[in-house]
Amino acid sequence: MKKIGVLISGGGSNLQSIIDSVESGSLRLEIAVVISNNEGAFGITRAENHGIPAEVIKHSDYPDREKFEAQLIKTLDGYGVDLVVLAGFMRVLTPLFVKHYHNRIINIHPAILPLFPGTHAQKQAFDYGGRFSGCSTHFVDEGTDTGPIILQAIVPILPEDTEDTLSSRILKEEHRIYPETLRLWSEGRLRIEGRKVRILPPDDESGG
Ligand code: GRF
């Protein structure tokens, strides 16, 4: 069974949606390890509650990004992960890490990329005054939220919305598309073709 390593920084609600999907049997993969760069992250508790190995690797314990990432790589490779899943992970990854896991890192972003990359994407969309926002899963390349898009979900921005009500509407969709993204990956159905990701039909539909 394919193995994933999940990197978190905070509450871990996306991690929880992945754990729930694995435990329900709808997502056939193994969460080999959860790593947080923050020791207080509730996501670590979520992992421990489900018997998943969890480690804290604090970026503040390392003199620079490269040394921090070298420890991340050592730990992830130690667990033999096939894919790195960023789930509310708030550190920028350098080319060192991205090259090591070339096309094997997936992220979720709470906006319809390429709109509103970077931090506080929900607030960016809310302040801009558009009618819709949403979330995107994508492969990670050396840019910030610029890698090939896998799935996206749209949500309305309502006149009575606040930044918080919009964020929770987006988060519900994140919890839907991330497990779906990982299911497609686990079934080998994601093919990166330049800037685009082709989603292959299920084996039983491909006519053999
Ligand atoms: C989510 O909106 C995620 O997209 C963003 O951080 C928020 C919290 O994520 N990066 P989680 O609850 O820690 O998964």
Side-chain angles (χ1 to χ4, degrees), residues 8-15 46 87-90 108-110 122 167 170-171 174-175:
I8 62 167
S9 295
S13 70
N14 274 290
L15 167 66
R46 293 180 191 272
F89 185 66
M90 303 311 276
I108 191 154
H109 183 73
Q122 304 94 330
S167 299
I170 293 171
L171 196 58
E174 292 179 51
H175 296 165

mmCIF file with all atom_site columns, all heavy atoms in Angstrom, residues 8-15 46 87-90 108-110 122 167 170-171 174-175, ligand 1:
data_model
loop_
_atom_site.group_PDB
_atom_site.id
_atom_site.type_symbol
_atom_site.label_atom_id
_atom_site.label_alt_id
_atom_site.label_comp_id
_atom_site.label_asym_id
_atom_site.label_entity_id
_atom_site.label_seq_id
_atom_site.pdbx_PDB_ins_code
_atom_site.Cartn_x
_atom_site.Cartn_y
_atom_site.Cartn_z
_atom_site.occupancy
_atom_site.B_iso_or_equiv
_atom_site.pdbx_formal_charge
_atom_site.auth_seq_id
_atom_site.auth_comp_id
_atom_site.auth_asym_id
_atom_site.auth_atom_id
_atom_site.pdbx_PDB_model_num
ATOM   1   N N   . ILE A 1 8   ? 2.067   19.322 8.805  1.00 0.00 ? 8   ILE A N   1
ATOM   2   C CA  . ILE A 1 8   ? 1.073   20.262 9.333  1.00 0.00 ? 8   ILE A CA  1
ATOM   3   C C   . ILE A 1 8   ? 1.764   21.355 10.136 1.00 0.00 ? 8   ILE A C   1
ATOM   4   O O   . ILE A 1 8   ? 2.949   21.234 10.491 1.00 0.00 ? 8   ILE A O   1
ATOM   5   C CB  . ILE A 1 8   ? 0.048   19.537 10.240 1.00 0.00 ? 8   ILE A CB  1
ATOM   6   C CG1 . ILE A 1 8   ? 0.763   18.929 11.454 1.00 0.00 ? 8   ILE A CG1 1
ATOM   7   C CG2 . ILE A 1 8   ? -0.746  18.490 9.462  1.00 0.00 ? 8   ILE A CG2 1
ATOM   8   C CD1 . ILE A 1 8   ? -0.179  18.482 12.547 1.00 0.00 ? 8   ILE A CD1 1
ATOM   9   N N   . SER A 1 9   ? 0.977   22.404 10.438 1.00 0.00 ? 9   SER A N   1
ATOM   10  C CA  . SER A 1 9   ? 1.492   23.444 11.344 1.00 0.00 ? 9   SER A CA  1
ATOM   11  C C   . SER A 1 9   ? 0.489   23.786 12.436 1.00 0.00 ? 9   SER A C   1
ATOM   12  O O   . SER A 1 9   ? 0.825   24.456 13.396 1.00 0.00 ? 9   SER A O   1
ATOM   13  C CB  . SER A 1 9   ? 1.804   24.743 10.579 1.00 0.00 ? 9   SER A CB  1
ATOM   14  O OG  . SER A 1 9   ? 2.853   24.533 9.651  1.00 0.00 ? 9   SER A OG  1
ATOM   15  N N   . GLY A 1 10  ? -0.794  23.377 12.226 1.00 0.00 ? 10  GLY A N   1
ATOM   16  C CA  . GLY A 1 10  ? -1.826  23.856 13.165 1.00 0.00 ? 10  GLY A CA  1
ATOM   17  C C   . GLY A 1 10  ? -2.881  22.828 13.489 1.00 0.00 ? 10  GLY A C   1
ATOM   18  O O   . GLY A 1 10  ? -2.587  21.682 13.806 1.00 0.00 ? 10  GLY A O   1
ATOM   19  N N   . GLY A 1 11  ? -4.153  23.249 13.357 1.00 0.00 ? 11  GLY A N   1
ATOM   20  C CA  . GLY A 1 11  ? -5.300  22.457 13.816 1.00 0.00 ? 11  GLY A CA  1
ATOM   21  C C   . GLY A 1 11  ? -5.435  21.092 13.181 1.00 0.00 ? 11  GLY A C   1
ATOM   22  O O   . GLY A 1 11  ? -5.897  20.136 13.803 1.00 0.00 ? 11  GLY A O   1
ATOM   23  N N   . GLY A 1 12  ? -5.031  20.979 11.912 1.00 0.00 ? 12  GLY A N   1
ATOM   24  C CA  . GLY A 1 12  ? -5.048  19.666 11.267 1.00 0.00 ? 12  GLY A CA  1
ATOM   25  C C   . GLY A 1 12  ? -6.412  19.168 10.858 1.00 0.00 ? 12  GLY A C   1
ATOM   26  O O   . GLY A 1 12  ? -6.652  17.964 10.804 1.00 0.00 ? 12  GLY A O   1
ATOM   27  N N   . SER A 1 13  ? -7.350  20.059 10.549 1.00 0.00 ? 13  SER A N   1
ATOM   28  C CA  . SER A 1 13  ? -8.679  19.584 10.111 1.00 0.00 ? 13  SER A CA  1
ATOM   29  C C   . SER A 1 13  ? -8.594  18.874 8.761  1.00 0.00 ? 13  SER A C   1
ATOM   30  O O   . SER A 1 13  ? -9.330  17.916 8.508  1.00 0.00 ? 13  SER A O   1
ATOM   31  C CB  . SER A 1 13  ? -9.684  20.733 10.063 1.00 0.00 ? 13  SER A CB  1
ATOM   32  O OG  . SER A 1 13  ? -9.375  21.613 9.000  1.00 0.00 ? 13  SER A OG  1
ATOM   33  N N   . ASN A 1 14  ? -7.700  19.317 7.893  1.00 0.00 ? 14  ASN A N   1
ATOM   34  C CA  . ASN A 1 14  ? -7.511  18.589 6.626  1.00 0.00 ? 14  ASN A CA  1
ATOM   35  C C   . ASN A 1 14  ? -6.897  17.221 6.887  1.00 0.00 ? 14  ASN A C   1
ATOM   36  O O   . ASN A 1 14  ? -7.282  16.228 6.262  1.00 0.00 ? 14  ASN A O   1
ATOM   37  C CB  . ASN A 1 14  ? -6.631  19.400 5.674  1.00 0.00 ? 14  ASN A CB  1
ATOM   38  C CG  . ASN A 1 14  ? -7.436  20.397 4.866  1.00 0.00 ? 14  ASN A CG  1
ATOM   39  O OD1 . ASN A 1 14  ? -8.203  20.028 3.992  1.00 0.00 ? 14  ASN A OD1 1
ATOM   40  N ND2 . ASN A 1 14  ? -7.273  21.669 5.173  1.00 0.00 ? 14  ASN A ND2 1
ATOM   41  N N   . LEU A 1 15  ? -5.950  17.160 7.828  1.00 0.00 ? 15  LEU A N   1
ATOM   42  C CA  . LEU A 1 15  ? -5.385  15.860 8.225  1.00 0.00 ? 15  LEU A CA  1
ATOM   43  C C   . LEU A 1 15  ? -6.502  14.950 8.711  1.00 0.00 ? 15  LEU A C   1
ATOM   44  O O   . LEU A 1 15  ? -6.581  13.781 8.333  1.00 0.00 ? 15  LEU A O   1
ATOM   45  C CB  . LEU A 1 15  ? -4.354  16.051 9.333  1.00 0.00 ? 15  LEU A CB  1
ATOM   46  C CG  . LEU A 1 15  ? -3.914  14.782 10.071 1.00 0.00 ? 15  LEU A CG  1
ATOM   47  C CD1 . LEU A 1 15  ? -3.145  13.847 9.150  1.00 0.00 ? 15  LEU A CD1 1
ATOM   48  C CD2 . LEU A 1 15  ? -3.077  15.149 11.305 1.00 0.00 ? 15  LEU A CD2 1
ATOM   49  N N   . ARG A 1 46  ? -4.421  14.850 16.987 1.00 0.00 ? 46  ARG A N   1
ATOM   50  C CA  . ARG A 1 46  ? -5.293  14.078 16.094 1.00 0.00 ? 46  ARG A CA  1
ATOM   51  C C   . ARG A 1 46  ? -4.587  12.792 15.637 1.00 0.00 ? 46  ARG A C   1
ATOM   52  O O   . ARG A 1 46  ? -5.161  11.704 15.666 1.00 0.00 ? 46  ARG A O   1
ATOM   53  C CB  . ARG A 1 46  ? -5.682  14.894 14.866 1.00 0.00 ? 46  ARG A CB  1
ATOM   54  C CG  . ARG A 1 46  ? -6.576  16.107 15.127 1.00 0.00 ? 46  ARG A CG  1
ATOM   55  C CD  . ARG A 1 46  ? -6.877  16.807 13.808 1.00 0.00 ? 46  ARG A CD  1
ATOM   56  N NE  . ARG A 1 46  ? -7.509  18.111 13.942 1.00 0.00 ? 46  ARG A NE  1
ATOM   57  C CZ  . ARG A 1 46  ? -8.820  18.312 14.021 1.00 0.00 ? 46  ARG A CZ  1
ATOM   58  N NH1 . ARG A 1 46  ? -9.641  17.286 14.036 1.00 0.00 ? 46  ARG A NH1 1
ATOM   59  N NH2 . ARG A 1 46  ? -9.305  19.540 14.094 1.00 0.00 ? 46  ARG A NH2 1
ATOM   60  N N   . ALA A 1 87  ? -0.691  19.870 4.596  1.00 0.00 ? 87  ALA A N   1
ATOM   61  C CA  . ALA A 1 87  ? -2.066  20.081 5.074  1.00 0.00 ? 87  ALA A CA  1
ATOM   62  C C   . ALA A 1 87  ? -2.060  21.172 6.134  1.00 0.00 ? 87  ALA A C   1
ATOM   63  O O   . ALA A 1 87  ? -1.924  20.911 7.326  1.00 0.00 ? 87  ALA A O   1
ATOM   64  C CB  . ALA A 1 87  ? -2.621  18.780 5.635  1.00 0.00 ? 87  ALA A CB  1
ATOM   65  N N   . GLY A 1 88  ? -2.158  22.415 5.678  1.00 0.00 ? 88  GLY A N   1
ATOM   66  C CA  . GLY A 1 88  ? -2.059  23.539 6.600  1.00 0.00 ? 88  GLY A CA  1
ATOM   67  C C   . GLY A 1 88  ? -0.626  23.736 7.080  1.00 0.00 ? 88  GLY A C   1
ATOM   68  O O   . GLY A 1 88  ? -0.371  24.170 8.189  1.00 0.00 ? 88  GLY A O   1
ATOM   69  N N   . PHE A 1 89  ? 0.322   23.368 6.228  1.00 0.00 ? 89  PHE A N   1
ATOM   70  C CA  . PHE A 1 89  ? 1.747   23.520 6.556  1.00 0.00 ? 89  PHE A CA  1
ATOM   71  C C   . PHE A 1 89  ? 2.164   24.908 6.130  1.00 0.00 ? 89  PHE A C   1
ATOM   72  O O   . PHE A 1 89  ? 2.014   25.268 4.950  1.00 0.00 ? 89  PHE A O   1
ATOM   73  C CB  . PHE A 1 89  ? 2.577   22.452 5.832  1.00 0.00 ? 89  PHE A CB  1
ATOM   74  C CG  . PHE A 1 89  ? 4.049   22.454 6.215  1.00 0.00 ? 89  PHE A CG  1
ATOM   75  C CD1 . PHE A 1 89  ? 4.455   22.125 7.498  1.00 0.00 ? 89  PHE A CD1 1
ATOM   76  C CD2 . PHE A 1 89  ? 5.023   22.789 5.264  1.00 0.00 ? 89  PHE A CD2 1
ATOM   77  C CE1 . PHE A 1 89  ? 5.798   22.113 7.844  1.00 0.00 ? 89  PHE A CE1 1
ATOM   78  C CE2 . PHE A 1 89  ? 6.374   22.782 5.597  1.00 0.00 ? 89  PHE A CE2 1
ATOM   79  C CZ  . PHE A 1 89  ? 6.759   22.446 6.896  1.00 0.00 ? 89  PHE A CZ  1
ATOM   80  N N   . MET A 1 90  ? 2.675   25.706 7.087  1.00 0.00 ? 90  MET A N   1
ATOM   81  C CA  . MET A 1 90  ? 2.826   27.134 6.817  1.00 0.00 ? 90  MET A CA  1
ATOM   82  C C   . MET A 1 90  ? 4.266   27.575 6.532  1.00 0.00 ? 90  MET A C   1
ATOM   83  O O   . MET A 1 90  ? 4.593   28.741 6.621  1.00 0.00 ? 90  MET A O   1
ATOM   84  C CB  . MET A 1 90  ? 2.256   27.949 7.978  1.00 0.00 ? 90  MET A CB  1
ATOM   85  C CG  . MET A 1 90  ? 0.812   27.652 8.291  1.00 0.00 ? 90  MET A CG  1
ATOM   86  S SD  . MET A 1 90  ? -0.256  27.672 6.827  1.00 0.00 ? 90  MET A SD  1
ATOM   87  C CE  . MET A 1 90  ? -0.592  29.411 6.710  1.00 0.00 ? 90  MET A CE  1
ATOM   88  N N   . ILE A 1 108 ? -2.813  21.862 -0.510 1.00 0.00 ? 108 ILE A N   1
ATOM   89  C CA  . ILE A 1 108 ? -4.162  22.422 -0.677 1.00 0.00 ? 108 ILE A CA  1
ATOM   90  C C   . ILE A 1 108 ? -4.092  23.915 -0.357 1.00 0.00 ? 108 ILE A C   1
ATOM   91  O O   . ILE A 1 108 ? -3.395  24.328 0.570  1.00 0.00 ? 108 ILE A O   1
ATOM   92  C CB  . ILE A 1 108 ? -5.198  21.721 0.223  1.00 0.00 ? 108 ILE A CB  1
ATOM   93  C CG1 . ILE A 1 108 ? -6.615  22.154 -0.191 1.00 0.00 ? 108 ILE A CG1 1
ATOM   94  C CG2 . ILE A 1 108 ? -4.986  21.985 1.728  1.00 0.00 ? 108 ILE A CG2 1
ATOM   95  C CD1 . ILE A 1 108 ? -7.683  21.153 0.136  1.00 0.00 ? 108 ILE A CD1 1
ATOM   96  N N   . HIS A 1 109 ? -4.770  24.681 -1.213 1.00 0.00 ? 109 HIS A N   1
ATOM   97  C CA  . HIS A 1 109 ? -4.745  26.138 -1.033 1.00 0.00 ? 109 HIS A CA  1
ATOM   98  C C   . HIS A 1 109 ? -6.184  26.634 -0.983 1.00 0.00 ? 109 HIS A C   1
ATOM   99  O O   . HIS A 1 109 ? -6.991  26.275 -1.851 1.00 0.00 ? 109 HIS A O   1
ATOM   100 C CB  . HIS A 1 109 ? -3.976  26.801 -2.189 1.00 0.00 ? 109 HIS A CB  1
ATOM   101 C CG  . HIS A 1 109 ? -3.839  28.284 -2.033 1.00 0.00 ? 109 HIS A CG  1
ATOM   102 N ND1 . HIS A 1 109 ? -2.984  28.856 -1.114 1.00 0.00 ? 109 HIS A ND1 1
ATOM   103 C CD2 . HIS A 1 109 ? -4.469  29.298 -2.663 1.00 0.00 ? 109 HIS A CD2 1
ATOM   104 C CE1 . HIS A 1 109 ? -3.096  30.179 -1.185 1.00 0.00 ? 109 HIS A CE1 1
ATOM   105 N NE2 . HIS A 1 109 ? -3.991  30.469 -2.112 1.00 0.00 ? 109 HIS A NE2 1
ATOM   106 N N   . PRO A 1 110 ? -6.528  27.502 -0.010 1.00 0.00 ? 110 PRO A N   1
ATOM   107 C CA  . PRO A 1 110 ? -7.924  27.920 0.148  1.00 0.00 ? 110 PRO A CA  1
ATOM   108 C C   . PRO A 1 110 ? -8.317  29.084 -0.760 1.00 0.00 ? 110 PRO A C   1
ATOM   109 O O   . PRO A 1 110 ? -8.832  30.123 -0.300 1.00 0.00 ? 110 PRO A O   1
ATOM   110 C CB  . PRO A 1 110 ? -7.997  28.318 1.624  1.00 0.00 ? 110 PRO A CB  1
ATOM   111 C CG  . PRO A 1 110 ? -6.614  28.766 1.952  1.00 0.00 ? 110 PRO A CG  1
ATOM   112 C CD  . PRO A 1 110 ? -5.685  27.940 1.094  1.00 0.00 ? 110 PRO A CD  1
ATOM   113 N N   . GLN A 1 122 ? -8.212  33.410 1.984  1.00 0.00 ? 122 GLN A N   1
ATOM   114 C CA  . GLN A 1 122 ? -9.650  33.619 2.184  1.00 0.00 ? 122 GLN A CA  1
ATOM   115 C C   . GLN A 1 122 ? -9.934  35.112 2.358  1.00 0.00 ? 122 GLN A C   1
ATOM   116 O O   . GLN A 1 122 ? -10.871 35.657 1.798  1.00 0.00 ? 122 GLN A O   1
ATOM   117 C CB  . GLN A 1 122 ? -10.145 32.850 3.420  1.00 0.00 ? 122 GLN A CB  1
ATOM   118 C CG  . GLN A 1 122 ? -9.861  31.353 3.421  1.00 0.00 ? 122 GLN A CG  1
ATOM   119 C CD  . GLN A 1 122 ? -8.578  30.968 4.128  1.00 0.00 ? 122 GLN A CD  1
ATOM   120 O OE1 . GLN A 1 122 ? -7.594  31.751 4.158  1.00 0.00 ? 122 GLN A OE1 1
ATOM   121 N NE2 . GLN A 1 122 ? -8.547  29.760 4.697  1.00 0.00 ? 122 GLN A NE2 1
ATOM   122 N N   . SER A 1 167 ? -14.431 31.450 5.158  1.00 0.00 ? 167 SER A N   1
ATOM   123 C CA  . SER A 1 167 ? -13.356 30.477 5.412  1.00 0.00 ? 167 SER A CA  1
ATOM   124 C C   . SER A 1 167 ? -13.927 29.113 5.784  1.00 0.00 ? 167 SER A C   1
ATOM   125 O O   . SER A 1 167 ? -13.437 28.082 5.303  1.00 0.00 ? 167 SER A O   1
ATOM   126 C CB  . SER A 1 167 ? -12.431 30.966 6.530  1.00 0.00 ? 167 SER A CB  1
ATOM   127 O OG  . SER A 1 167 ? -11.821 32.184 6.156  1.00 0.00 ? 167 SER A OG  1
ATOM   128 N N   . ILE A 1 170 ? -15.289 27.426 2.693  1.00 0.00 ? 170 ILE A N   1
ATOM   129 C CA  . ILE A 1 170 ? -14.180 26.905 1.872  1.00 0.00 ? 170 ILE A CA  1
ATOM   130 C C   . ILE A 1 170 ? -13.595 25.642 2.518  1.00 0.00 ? 170 ILE A C   1
ATOM   131 O O   . ILE A 1 170 ? -13.353 24.634 1.854  1.00 0.00 ? 170 ILE A O   1
ATOM   132 C CB  . ILE A 1 170 ? -13.082 27.972 1.692  1.00 0.00 ? 170 ILE A CB  1
ATOM   133 C CG1 . ILE A 1 170 ? -13.594 29.145 0.843  1.00 0.00 ? 170 ILE A CG1 1
ATOM   134 C CG2 . ILE A 1 170 ? -11.828 27.362 1.056  1.00 0.00 ? 170 ILE A CG2 1
ATOM   135 C CD1 . ILE A 1 170 ? -12.653 30.341 0.795  1.00 0.00 ? 170 ILE A CD1 1
ATOM   136 N N   . LEU A 1 171 ? -13.427 25.689 3.848  1.00 0.00 ? 171 LEU A N   1
ATOM   137 C CA  . LEU A 1 171 ? -12.808 24.561 4.552  1.00 0.00 ? 171 LEU A CA  1
ATOM   138 C C   . LEU A 1 171 ? -13.611 23.268 4.361  1.00 0.00 ? 171 LEU A C   1
ATOM   139 O O   . LEU A 1 171 ? -13.036 22.186 4.186  1.00 0.00 ? 171 LEU A O   1
ATOM   140 C CB  . LEU A 1 171 ? -12.671 24.888 6.043  1.00 0.00 ? 171 LEU A CB  1
ATOM   141 C CG  . LEU A 1 171 ? -11.723 24.011 6.868  1.00 0.00 ? 171 LEU A CG  1
ATOM   142 C CD1 . LEU A 1 171 ? -10.305 24.026 6.322  1.00 0.00 ? 171 LEU A CD1 1
ATOM   143 C CD2 . LEU A 1 171 ? -11.742 24.452 8.331  1.00 0.00 ? 171 LEU A CD2 1
ATOM   144 N N   . GLU A 1 174 ? -12.537 21.948 1.207  1.00 0.00 ? 174 GLU A N   1
ATOM   145 C CA  . GLU A 1 174 ? -11.170 21.403 1.313  1.00 0.00 ? 174 GLU A CA  1
ATOM   146 C C   . GLU A 1 174 ? -11.240 19.955 1.823  1.00 0.00 ? 174 GLU A C   1
ATOM   147 O O   . GLU A 1 174 ? -10.555 19.057 1.313  1.00 0.00 ? 174 GLU A O   1
ATOM   148 C CB  . GLU A 1 174 ? -10.336 22.239 2.284  1.00 0.00 ? 174 GLU A CB  1
ATOM   149 C CG  . GLU A 1 174 ? -10.012 23.639 1.803  1.00 0.00 ? 174 GLU A CG  1
ATOM   150 C CD  . GLU A 1 174 ? -9.207  24.403 2.816  1.00 0.00 ? 174 GLU A CD  1
ATOM   151 O OE1 . GLU A 1 174 ? -8.174  23.865 3.281  1.00 0.00 ? 174 GLU A OE1 1
ATOM   152 O OE2 . GLU A 1 174 ? -9.589  25.533 3.144  1.00 0.00 ? 174 GLU A OE2 1
ATOM   153 N N   . HIS A 1 175 ? -12.082 19.757 2.821  1.00 0.00 ? 175 HIS A N   1
ATOM   154 C CA  . HIS A 1 175 ? -12.208 18.426 3.438  1.00 0.00 ? 175 HIS A CA  1
ATOM   155 C C   . HIS A 1 175 ? -12.827 17.423 2.471  1.00 0.00 ? 175 HIS A C   1
ATOM   156 O O   . HIS A 1 175 ? -12.717 16.218 2.670  1.00 0.00 ? 175 HIS A O   1
ATOM   157 C CB  . HIS A 1 175 ? -13.046 18.510 4.719  1.00 0.00 ? 175 HIS A CB  1
ATOM   158 C CG  . HIS A 1 175 ? -12.412 19.345 5.777  1.00 0.00 ? 175 HIS A CG  1
ATOM   159 N ND1 . HIS A 1 175 ? -13.106 19.805 6.864  1.00 0.00 ? 175 HIS A ND1 1
ATOM   160 C CD2 . HIS A 1 175 ? -11.157 19.851 5.897  1.00 0.00 ? 175 HIS A CD2 1
ATOM   161 C CE1 . HIS A 1 175 ? -12.289 20.538 7.624  1.00 0.00 ? 175 HIS A CE1 1
ATOM   162 N NE2 . HIS A 1 175 ? -11.107 20.571 7.061  1.00 0.00 ? 175 HIS A NE2 1
HETATM 163 C C1  . GRF B 2 .   ? -6.942  25.591 5.744  1.00 0.00 ? 1   GRF B C1  1
HETATM 164 O O1  . GRF B 2 .   ? -7.782  26.554 5.144  1.00 0.00 ? 1   GRF B O1  1
HETATM 165 C C2  . GRF B 2 .   ? -5.779  25.320 4.817  1.00 0.00 ? 1   GRF B C2  1
HETATM 166 O O2  . GRF B 2 .   ? -6.120  25.426 3.444  1.00 0.00 ? 1   GRF B O2  1
HETATM 167 C C3  . GRF B 2 .   ? -4.839  26.416 5.195  1.00 0.00 ? 1   GRF B C3  1
HETATM 168 O O3  . GRF B 2 .   ? -4.901  26.412 6.623  1.00 0.00 ? 1   GRF B O3  1
HETATM 169 C C4  . GRF B 2 .   ? -6.271  26.178 6.997  1.00 0.00 ? 1   GRF B C4  1
HETATM 170 C C5  . GRF B 2 .   ? -6.323  25.271 8.195  1.00 0.00 ? 1   GRF B C5  1
HETATM 171 O O4  . GRF B 2 .   ? -5.937  23.992 7.794  1.00 0.00 ? 1   GRF B O4  1
HETATM 172 N N1  . GRF B 2 .   ? -3.521  26.193 4.714  1.00 0.00 ? 1   GRF B N1  1
HETATM 173 P P1  . GRF B 2 .   ? -5.975  22.753 8.838  1.00 0.00 ? 1   GRF B P1  1
HETATM 174 O O5  . GRF B 2 .   ? -7.277  22.862 9.619  1.00 0.00 ? 1   GRF B O5  1
HETATM 175 O O6  . GRF B 2 .   ? -4.767  22.896 9.729  1.00 0.00 ? 1   GRF B O6  1
HETATM 176 O O7  . GRF B 2 .   ? -5.929  21.545 7.947  1.00 0.00 ? 1   GRF B O7  1
#
